[in-house]
Amino acid sequence: MKATIIVTLKPTVLDPQGITIQRCVQSMGLPEVTDIRQGKYFDVQLADNTPPERRKELIQRLAKDVLTNPVIEEFRIDWDQKS
Amino acid sequence: MKATIIVTLKPTVLDPQGITIQRCVQSMGLPEVTDIRQGKYFDVQLADNTPPERRKELIQRLAKDVLTNPVIEEFRIDWDQKS
Amino acid sequence: MITEDVLSQHGISGAEFDRIKDILKREPTITELGIFSVMWSEHCSYKSSRVHLRRLPTKGSNVLQGPGENAGIIDIGDGLAVAFKIESHNHPSYIEPFQGAATGVGGILRDIFTMGARPIACMNSLRFGPLGSTQNRHIMEGVVGGIAFYGNCFGVPTVGGEVSFAKCYSPNPLVNAFALGIFEKDKIFYGRAKGVGNPVIYVGAKTGRDGIHGATMASAGFGEDAGAKRPNVQIGDPFMEKLLLEACLEAMNKGLIVGIQDMGAAGLTSSSCEMGARAGTGVELELDQVPQREEAMTAYEIMLSESQERMLLVAEKAREKEIFEVFHKWGLDAVTVGRVTADGLLRVKQHGKVMAEIPNKQLADEGPRYERPMLPPKSTGTSRLDYFTFLDGCDETLIQEFLNADHNPGTADFNRLMLLAAGSPNLCGRQWVWEQYDHMVQSNTMIGPGSDAAVIRIKDTGKAIAMTLDGPAYLVSRHPREGAKMMVAEAARNIVCSGGRPVAATNCLNFGNPEHPEIMWQFSEVVDGIAEACSVLETPITGGNVSFYNETLGDNIYPTPVLGMVGIIENLDHVTSSGFMDAGDSIVLVETSRMDIGKIDLNDERALQFMVRDAIQSGLVKSAHDISEGGLASALAECCYGTMHRPAIGATVKIPSHLEACKDLFGEHPSRILLTTQNASELGKRAGAAGLELREIGKVGGKRFVLEYEGQNAVDLAIDELETVWRRTFPKLLS
Amino acid sequence: MKFGVVIFPGSNCDHDCYYAIHSVVGRPVEFIWHQETSVKGFDAIVLPGGFAYGDYLRTGALAKFSPVMQAVKSFADKGGLVIGICNGFQILTESGLLPGALMRNSNMKYICKFLEIRTAATDTPFTNSLSEGQVLNIPIGHGEGNYFADVDTLKELEDNRQVAFRYVENPNGSVHDIAGIVNKGRNVLGMMPHPDRSSEKLLGSTDGKLIFESMVQALAGRAR
Ligand SMILES: Nc1ncnc2c1ncn2[C@@H]1O[C@H](COP(=O)(O)OP(=O)(O)O)[C@@H](O)[C@H]1O
Ligand SMILES: [Mg+2]
């Protein structure tokens, strides 16, 4: 059982990496790229015998308490129903 | 016009970051989490007047030539049709 | 429109509001109120501390610039000068340890290169609560990571500092960052908006809603709702800062810049009004020109934003274009956002309307000033840790082991105590911290972290600069004035031990709530202690920073002054480090005849420092180490541990017997230095002439660490075993 | 004989390399701004350490798009000597001038310290004055020095004896303890440790100087 957690900077928080990449890309001759924001992506694998109600709680906790710094980031969970 | 590019380490490449997180998770008492792999997530904004055929090429090129190091990484594009 | 509520949100008292109305001769607009609130905050106006700071000695033959500018400056000869300063970033680091510490480093670096100096070294002084708590560990990992992230990328070596632990910093850490830069002494730049009609140019990162009210945040304690204040934190971009450095120095070199100031606390507001106030001019800003990262920002937000990596400069009228070229070369935005005027006013325009109009002088220089009430504590009894301050913050069982040994020396196991001391949080090796810092970039680091003072050579001069940070908070908490004197003395001693002459100092005063009379008394005592010691040791204060309101849920931290001392080493042959060099060298203890605890005689200290400096310059000394926390035994062990150039080396030493074993081994008497030499008798003569006590106490060599006390081997350990404990503790505390 | 030290935005060992070559080794050296499109007139190119473009995205990833890199590439293709130190090594792998990639250190932390590396190949223009197995005392300073290459690439590196240096004690998780490699033509070296920080006694070691001196010797040989 898998889930994907995506952690991004809050929209108003400065993203120096994104800005730098975007500037570079522009000067490389891709002026159409007007903005890039970088985030983190986590593929999480859960043991197959994890009960469904526990899954939800688990992934939530993982996303909220471990993978996200709530001061500057926010997260989003993509549930993957496969496998 | 937006697209999302996700860059992950190739499955054959050891992910020190993932391992560190995995360890942290285990020590938190979440044994159900059997594997975590970390990747990068990019939200890319294109100028609205970019012609559709150019969009595809652009994002492909960005993903392949800039955002990914083919020695260790692979990428995936999520097209976002909104806006 | 401006209600009581609005005033209290801005931390402006009724009396202060009346003054604002007096100055303006009308009600302020909300933008003006915001501007006053940041400029008159404790952080920017020094309203509680100013009356005391005046007592610090600030003049000396080497001082080119004392307090009042972005950094202090001293003359180091050869036409060169160094600028240095220390600054706190405690509150932001509490809220977001990584970014808080990172932007602290960014801020102090800007203060240095704003003056035209190229930063060549950083240090930091860190205080955390005990690492038994997950939260404290998390804070420390974040803070150290943030400092490394910023300094390493910017390309300045982080060459020293200190880390210590005590309960009162849980979970409110102290993060004080120091930076030092070098330049030609006739190329100093100041934050002055001179020349009516000259353009005011904005360079660097775009303005967002970052850190709005950061300055007022740093001026209020944290209650339960600390979390709610979180969105204020700024993100650091060291790459942008590196570009700013190069571009600013290039523009300065080309003679394009009239005045320049970084946008630190209170951002655009403080930089513009302070530059105007210093030059006696007005500054008119057109906010529509300010590069903005977010939509629909109000004048209030733009003026108060604390987005990082921005500078404001005033250029020669005719040379605007050249400035733009330099900044564009480095890939940076530079935009004219206003001009210098003759009317002395800070005038802020947005969308064609005047949003604020305030006299610069009154705003920047004539903020409120308080003589807050002071109250000494009823009595200062003795504390069980007076001899062993390194135990503060340790587990109670560890403390008890030492206290028991102190009371019953006959039954004590000193091998065990030696290992416990070496593995205690305040004494153990800090490699975990400083191996994360690039301490070698710029290829000048002769002595990096881990010795008494760091030493940076100045290329092409045959000279070096020594620097150190010291802040013995526990001592200060016991006796603020004496503690402060001991702090200055120790810092100077560290410089002397590295072969330097202490020249000048900067200080960061971290205190609790100044509205509490006991805190204000501590503050005043500390200032007097620093003033006295700096006068005697001839090391004037060239600047500093005050951080009040370091409290959590009403508990104040220790009064924690941190002193940054800078010295000059005239000849690279004089550079000396603390580690023992060669087997067979004699180990010599030099001290004053008094065996005080918790207080210091500054004249004796001065004699000690002169004697050792002189001995080093005469080539008599192979290594020198100041004895501080953990006493003689710990200092000896530190000299034996492996360095980057040799493995651990043993020593056999007779510990002089004055009191009881535990105090003689681990007690922390001030004014003592350990030297190694091949000419102990010559050193003895010199010490005698100076009225100092000098004893040859042992020899370097072998693989064992042996401390003999009253005819017995009190400590007899393999040095490798001891070193392993010392080196492994820190990573262990964190895992 | 003229050395060129490239300055990328964010390079921060550019002056260190310049100083080592100019004042310690005593050879002519000039800076090359990253916008240059030619490296004509230079006999050896140094890509210095630092954080080019902040090391944002990946170390060395954005620097490879600087105009000068095209010129460096053709210079290298023609056999010119190129040394990449630390960030320079990362830029060389990103640009494809050297195989493999440099990943986060296995402990996830930046590491700055002196350590020992062992010379693994002496038949390169960068190591010709070293002896096989010679141990150098030299510092590292990096967060991403964990060298990675797939099995085939590694085999090729080993078969061609392209590994120039190995760590005596692996600090960062690099495969095969690799601290530095050369390309097949042996005219491009990438190494994580800093010879520029270990060329003077007062900095703690003069071992790094041997690498610059090897280059001088190689260039002198070529000129003959
Ligand atoms: N403890 C102190 N001792 C001496 N000078 C101080 C002290 N605290 C602040 N100052 C001086 O007051 C001035 C204002 O400091 P500060 O507001 O921290 O500057 P900045 O806005 O650059 O951070 C500086 O010149 C500083 O050196
Ligand atoms: Mg300033």
Side-chain angles (χ1 to χ4, degrees):
Chain A
M1 203 259 152
K2 255 181 60 176
T4 295
I5 301 169
I6 289 159
V7 178
T8 52
L9 286 171
K10 290 181 183 169
T12 55
V13 170
L14 177 74
D15 176 14
Q17 298 222 42
I19 292 175
T20 307
I21 300 169
Q22 189 261 346
R23 283 188 155 217
C24 253
V25 166
Q26 280 214 324
S27 68
M28 279 169 55
L30 303 178
E32 298 95 334
V33 177
T34 54
D35 191 32
I36 297 183
R37 284 182 75 80
Q38 182 167 347
K40 294 179 204 151
Y41 174 95
F42 299 92
D43 259 333
V44 184
Q45 188 76 47
L46 294 185
D48 286 339
N49 56 1
T50 318
E53 60 290 357
R54 169 96 177 125
R55 286 181 196 174
K56 186 131 195 194
E57 180 210 323
L58 208 80
I59 294 288
Q60 277 280 350
R61 197 163 143 215
L62 187 64
K64 187 152 166 288
D65 298 347
V66 183
L67 302 179
T68 307
N69 175 353
V71 182
I72 50 178
E73 295 171 327
E74 55 193 22
F75 67 90
R76 180 169 100 222
I77 298 172
D78 275 0
W79 296 97
D80 187 341
Q81 300 312 351
K82 279 168 290 168
S83 87
Chain B
M1 205 258 150
K2 254 181 60 175
T4 295
I5 300 168
I6 289 159
V7 177
T8 52
L9 282 177
K10 290 181 179 168
T12 50
V13 176
L14 196 76
D15 174 14
Q17 222 149 331
I19 294 172
T20 310
I21 299 167
Q22 172 74 25
R23 257 197 229 130
C24 166
V25 168
Q26 295 289 347
S27 74
M28 278 176 66
L30 304 177
E32 297 94 333
V33 178
T34 54
D35 189 33
I36 297 188
R37 289 184 71 83
Q38 179 168 349
K40 294 177 198 159
Y41 174 95
F42 300 92
D43 260 331
V44 182
Q45 188 77 47
L46 294 186
D48 287 337
N49 55 1
T50 317
E53 60 292 354
R54 169 99 178 121
R55 285 180 196 175
K56 190 132 193 193
E57 179 210 322
L58 209 80
I59 293 289
Q60 277 282 352
R61 196 166 142 214
L62 183 64
K64 185 151 167 292
D65 296 348
V66 183
L67 300 183
T68 308
N69 177 346
V71 177
I72 46 173
E73 295 170 327
E74 53 195 22
F75 67 88
R76 182 168 99 224
I77 298 171
D78 275 0
W79 296 97
D80 188 340
Q81 301 312 351
K82 278 169 290 169
S83 93
Chain C
M1 178 177 124
I2 286 164
T3 61
E4 294 264 312
D5 249 14
V6 171
L7 284 183
S8 91
Q9 274 161 23
H10 284 79
I12 290 187
S13 70
E16 287 167 358
F17 188 52
D18 290 342
R19 276 209 47 205
I20 292 172
K21 288 187 288 193
D22 265 3
I23 290 171
L24 297 177
K25 315 213 162 47
R26 58 180 162 81
E27 285 254 324
T29 64
I30 187 71
T31 305
E32 287 170 335
L33 188 76
I35 289 174
F36 272 106
S37 80
V38 288
M39 288 310 296
W40 288 10
S41 69
E42 189 64 59
H43 186 77
C44 290
S45 73
Y46 291 83
K47 54 189 168 191
S48 305
S49 55
R50 194 150 279 191
V51 294
H52 298 285
L53 295 179
R54 275 205 299 259
R55 300 197 295 274
L56 294 170
T58 59
K59 298 213 161 54
S61 52
N62 289 77
V63 177
L64 298 176
Q65 176 64 57
E69 285 287 339
N70 288 305
I73 301 174
I74 57 172
D75 190 336
I76 61 164
D78 295 320
L80 297 174
V82 296
F84 59 94
K85 192 179 171 217
I86 189 168
E87 195 152 270
S88 66
H89 231 217
N90 305 334
H91 298 83
S93 303
Y94 171 51
I95 290 175
E96 209 314 276
F98 186 96
Q99 293 295 344
T103 52
V105 174
I108 194 66
L109 286 169
R110 278 194 302 282
D111 274 339
I112 300 304
F113 70 77
T114 291
M115 307 209 68
R118 177 177 285 276
I120 56 170
C122 275
M123 302 192 285
N124 55 82
S125 171
L126 310 177
R127 299 284 182 286
F128 303 102
L131 294 182
S133 117
T134 320
Q135 189 183 10
N136 290 334
R137 284 200 300 275
H138 174 80
I139 291 173
M140 190 179 84
E141 296 203 38
V143 164
V144 171
I147 292 171
F149 162 73
Y150 208 100
N152 296 356
C153 179
F154 181 81
V156 63
T158 301
V159 295
E162 39 161 25
V163 186
S164 62
F165 303 95
K167 291 206 181 70
C168 66
Y169 306 113
S170 179
N172 188 357
L174 298 187
V175 176
N176 292 181
F178 168 101
L180 178 142
I182 188 161
F183 47 178
E184 286 166 35
K185 75 178 194 196
D186 54 0
K187 293 213 176 123
I188 300 173
F189 285 79
Y190 292 100
R192 291 179 194 160
K194 281 196 297 202
V196 172
N198 277 339
V200 174
I201 298 175
Y202 171 116
V203 297
K206 291 186 164 65
T207 297
R209 292 186 174 89
D210 312 332
I212 290 177
H213 269 189
T216 36
M217 174 176 87
S219 309
F222 288 114
E224 293 279 9
D225 67 339
K229 297 192 178 183
R230 281 182 163 174
N232 282 347
V233 169
Q234 314 94 304
I235 303 290
D237 182 355
F239 172 57
M240 172 75 84
E241 179 120 320
K242 165 76 172 166
L243 300 178
L244 266 181
L245 161 78
E246 299 298 344
C248 287
L249 293 189
E250 191 172 321
M252 288 167 171
N253 250 328
K254 292 195 162 146
L256 305 175
I257 290 180
V258 172
I260 176 166
Q261 178 148 340
D262 64 300
M263 296 191 223
L268 192 51
T269 293
S270 65
S271 52
S272 53
C273 76
E274 284 175 7
M275 284 217 282
R278 289 199 195 103
T281 54
V283 171
E284 183 171 299
L285 296 176
E286 184 51 78
L287 295 191
D288 296 341
Q289 301 303 319
V290 170
Q292 293 161 48
R293 200 178 78 233
E294 294 182 62
E295 309 266 295
M297 291 185 68
T298 63
Y300 180 99
E301 289 169 330
I302 295 171
M303 289 306 289
L304 267 55
S305 161
E306 292 190 355
S307 290
Q308 299 289 298
E309 289 90 26
R310 302 178 301 162
M311 309 281 267
L312 198 66
L313 41 98
V314 173
E316 291 292 353
K317 205 183 206 158
R319 308 191 68 180
E320 231 171 323
K321 220 181 110 227
E322 286 171 79
I323 292 242
F324 293 159
E325 275 166 14
V326 171
F327 283 89
H328 292 162
K329 173 188 160 194
W330 289 98
L332 294 168
D333 290 331
V335 187
T336 300
V337 295
R339 60 190 182 88
V340 179
T341 64
D343 60 14
L345 298 175
L346 172 66
R347 186 176 303 104
V348 177
K349 289 162 87 182
Q350 190 188 31
H351 313 319
K353 280 209 323 235
V354 173
M355 307 300 287
E357 202 167 46
I358 308 172
N360 280 328
K361 260 248 130 41
Q362 272 131 323
L363 180 58
D365 298 340
E366 292 166 23
R369 225 145 275 199
Y370 297 126
E371 297 212 25
R372 297 206 186 267
M374 302 193 285
L375 187 70
K378 285 189 201 72
S379 72
T380 326
T382 54
S383 147
R384 57 184 191 156
L385 297 187
D386 278 344
Y387 277 87
F388 312 110
T389 69
F390 71 95
L391 291 172
D392 183 44
C394 290
D395 289 343
E396 187 57 29
T397 49
L398 184 74
I399 296 177
Q400 281 309 326
E401 290 232 24
F402 278 87
L403 297 181
N404 287 340
D406 192 27
H407 296 140
N408 315 298
T411 58
D413 175 353
F414 287 104
N415 269 338
R416 182 179 156 76
L417 291 179
M418 191 68 228
L419 291 166
L420 285 175
S424 66
N426 287 323
L427 298 181
C428 67
R430 265 98 176 99
Q431 288 84 353
W432 182 92
V433 175
W434 51 256
E435 282 182 358
Q436 293 185 55
Y437 303 149
D438 186 345
H439 48 275
M440 302 181 200
V441 63
Q442 299 192 16
S443 63
N444 294 319
T445 308
M446 292 183 70
I447 302 182
S451 193
D452 281 353
V455 176
I456 295 290
R457 64 102 178 254
I458 306 297
K459 285 186 177 123
D460 307 321
T461 66
K463 282 186 194 175
I465 297 293
M467 62 196 91
T468 179
L469 294 182
D470 286 285
Y474 185 79
L475 283 173
V476 177
S477 76
R478 298 280 303 134
H479 303 282
R481 185 185 293 243
E482 286 299 318
K485 291 196 304 198
M486 287 192 282
M487 166 180 77
V488 177
E490 180 176 347
R493 214 182 301 130
N494 285 335
I495 299 291
V496 166
C497 286
S498 64
R501 172 172 68 92
V503 172
T506 182
N507 69 112
C508 196
L509 305 175
N510 307 277
F511 282 74
N513 185 338
E515 292 154 42
H516 297 176
E518 315 80 61
I519 303 284
M520 220 45 231
W521 176 81
Q522 291 172 343
F523 186 86
S524 169
E525 287 289 295
V526 163
V527 168
D528 285 335
I530 294 176
E532 185 185 339
C534 283
S535 301
V536 175
L537 299 176
E538 296 173 65
T539 52
I541 294 284
T542 63
N545 180 246
V546 178
S547 168
F548 279 127
Y549 298 99
N550 291 287
E551 53 173 355
T552 304
L553 304 176
D555 282 336
N556 290 300
I557 60 158
Y558 289 151
T560 314
V562 173
L563 196 86
M565 182 78 77
V566 175
I568 300 174
I569 304 179
E570 296 288 348
N571 181 334
L572 295 184
D573 292 337
H574 300 163
V575 173
T576 306
S577 69
S578 61
F580 290 154
M581 303 282 282
D582 299 298
D585 289 346
S586 295
I587 303 169
V588 158
L589 171 66
V590 208
E591 55 193 346
T592 64
S593 51
R594 287 168 235 261
M595 288 297 281
D596 288 334
I597 201 79
K599 60 181 193 222
I600 189 169
D601 183 298
L602 290 169
N603 289 314
D604 285 357
E605 173 73 34
R606 193 174 129 108
L608 174 76
Q609 293 188 14
F610 270 68
M611 183 256 148
V612 170
R613 225 171 79 199
D614 203 54
I616 289 176
Q617 291 179 358
S618 313
L620 290 167
V621 174
K622 294 185 73 172
S623 74
H625 187 27
D626 158 49
I627 300 175
S628 61
E629 284 193 300
L632 179 55
S634 304
L636 284 162
E638 285 157 13
C639 297
C640 291
Y641 296 143
T643 67
M644 62 192 198
H645 308 305
R646 64 144 176 77
I649 189 166
T652 303
V653 177
K654 266 202 179 80
I655 301 293
S657 150
H658 298 292
L659 306 160
E660 305 93 35
C662 201
K663 290 196 180 80
D664 286 334
L665 283 161
F666 299 104
E668 298 166 343
H669 309 278
S671 306
R672 296 189 296 171
I673 293 176
L674 267 178
L675 304 175
T676 52
T677 181
Q678 291 186 324
N679 196 347
S681 64
E682 172 62 22
L683 284 181
K685 272 187 229 147
R686 292 178 177 216
L692 299 163
E693 309 266 329
L694 182 142
R695 288 186 189 79
E696 188 178 345
I697 58 173
K699 293 270 187 219
V700 178
K703 282 299 206 185
R704 296 199 70 80
F705 183 72
V706 181
L707 305 181
E708 201 183 291
Y709 188 76
E710 295 182 343
Q712 311 253 326
N713 280 1
V715 174
D716 186 352
L717 291 164
I719 186 63
D720 289 338
E721 180 191 355
L722 186 59
E723 188 194 77
T724 303
V725 169
W726 173 75
R727 206 177 274 276
R728 300 240 170 108
T729 297
F730 218 98
K732 223 167 64 199
L733 288 171
L734 284 162
S735 62
Chain D
M1 172 185 315
K2 191 165 74 178
F3 285 75
V5 176
V6 177
I7 304 180
F8 296 97
S11 291
N12 63 31
C13 303
D14 41 352
H15 285 85
D16 308 10
C17 289
Y18 184 100
Y19 185 83
I21 295 164
H22 178 265
S23 303
V24 182
V25 181
R27 295 291 160 168
V29 52
E30 279 173 28
F31 287 120
I32 304 172
W33 181 238
H34 76 118
Q35 295 283 7
E36 295 294 332
T37 49
S38 154
V39 295
K40 218 164 147 237
F42 291 97
D43 301 289
I45 302 292
V46 183
L47 304 185
F51 288 69
Y53 292 94
D55 273 355
Y56 294 154
L57 185 57
R58 294 182 310 277
T59 55
L62 298 175
K64 73 166 174 256
F65 297 110
S66 275
V68 76
M69 283 311 293
Q70 277 306 328
V72 171
K73 228 177 216 163
S74 29
F75 177 78
D77 287 345
K78 290 189 211 113
L81 296 196
V82 179
I83 178 173
I85 300 167
C86 197
N87 196 221
F89 186 10
Q90 294 159 341
I91 295 169
L92 288 173
T93 56
E94 279 284 344
S95 325
L97 279 163
L98 289 174
L102 291 146
M103 308 196 13
R104 284 291 289 271
N105 292 347
S106 51
N107 74 346
M108 300 297 292
K109 292 191 168 27
Y110 189 95
I111 307 171
C112 178
K113 64 176 182 189
F114 263 91
L115 48 61
E116 291 178 332
I117 57 174
R118 188 169 282 127
T119 311
T122 55
D123 55 339
T124 81
F126 311 95
T127 53
N128 58 39
S129 45
L130 301 172
S131 50
E132 183 88 32
Q134 185 171 346
V135 171
L136 307 184
N137 186 26
I138 194 167
I140 55 166
H142 60 247
E144 316 206 353
N146 181 353
Y147 184 77
F148 172 86
D150 61 34
V151 181
D152 296 341
T153 310
L154 272 176
K155 179 157 187 313
E156 220 181 297
L157 282 176
E158 296 291 1
D159 288 350
N160 299 337
R161 304 190 42 261
Q162 283 174 250
V163 177
F165 300 107
R166 292 184 215 272
Y167 298 110
V168 173
E169 261 179 76
N170 192 334
N172 54 24
S174 288
V175 288
H176 293 204
D177 301 324
I178 286 173
I181 55 169
V182 289
N183 64 342
K184 250 187 227 151
R186 304 185 103 67
N187 63 317
V188 178
L189 169 75
M191 63 187 297
M192 291 313 295
H194 280 276
D196 48 325
R197 298 179 181 185
S198 49
S199 288
E200 294 175 85
K201 185 146 184 295
L202 59 80
L203 299 179
S205 170
T206 53
D207 290 351
K209 193 176 161 192
L210 300 171
I211 293 169
F212 294 120
E213 283 173 348
S214 294
M215 293 174 74
V216 170
Q217 203 167 315
L219 290 172
R222 286 182 177 192
R224 237 178 273 131

